[in-house]
């Protein structure tokens, strides 16, 4: 399974959100991709969530660099990953 590990917002100044770091005194636990693709446009949105699942910040329609990380899941290893 792959999760978003780091989200870099390419802006001035550049902002980086990374799982395991602290923002405003709250620990980043998850970064979720929430955008939608429509027939005529794409709405890009990412949620940065804390340990309670509460929204720390949202990044909408901004140029970003997404770093993914592969994590282990419980259960048997799929045949194509052995």
């Amino acid at each position: 399974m792959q999760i978003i590990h780091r989200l870099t917002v390419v802006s001035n100044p550049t902002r980086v959100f990374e799982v395991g770091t602290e923002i405003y005194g709250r620990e980043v636990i998850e970064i979720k991709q929430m955008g939608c693709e429509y027939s005529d446009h794409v709405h890009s949105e990412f949620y940065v969530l804390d340990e309670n699942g509460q929204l720390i910040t949202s990044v909408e329609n901004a140029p970003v660099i997404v770093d993914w990380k592969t994590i282990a899941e419980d259960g048997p290893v799929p045949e194509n990953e052995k």
Side-chain angles (χ1 to χ4, degrees):
M1 168 188 225
Q2 287 196 321
I3 61 164
I4 299 174
H5 176 68
R6 182 183 309 119
L7 181 71
T8 304
V9 182
V10 183
S11 61
N12 190 12
T14 299
R15 298 190 64 197
V16 178
F17 303 100
E18 187 170 353
V19 172
T21 61
E22 231 178 68
I23 299 174
Y24 312 126
R26 296 158 69 189
E27 186 175 357
V28 176
I29 292 297
E30 184 178 9
I31 301 169
K32 292 175 84 170
Q33 187 170 7
M34 303 300 292
C36 296
E37 187 173 333
Y38 300 98
S39 61
D40 61 342
H41 69 284
V42 173
H43 176 76
S44 171
E45 186 170 10
F46 294 88
Y47 285 176
V48 179
L49 304 172
D50 70 7
E51 61 273 9
N52 298 315
Q54 298 297 310
L55 186 67
I56 296 173
T57 192
S58 173
V59 177
E60 290 186 65
N61 296 322
V64 296
I65 299 169
V66 179
D67 293 309
W68 298 86
K69 183 176 186 177
T70 301
I71 62 169
E73 292 184 70
D74 289 341
V77 177
E79 283 298 315
N80 62 348
E81 294 182 19
K82 285 186 180 179

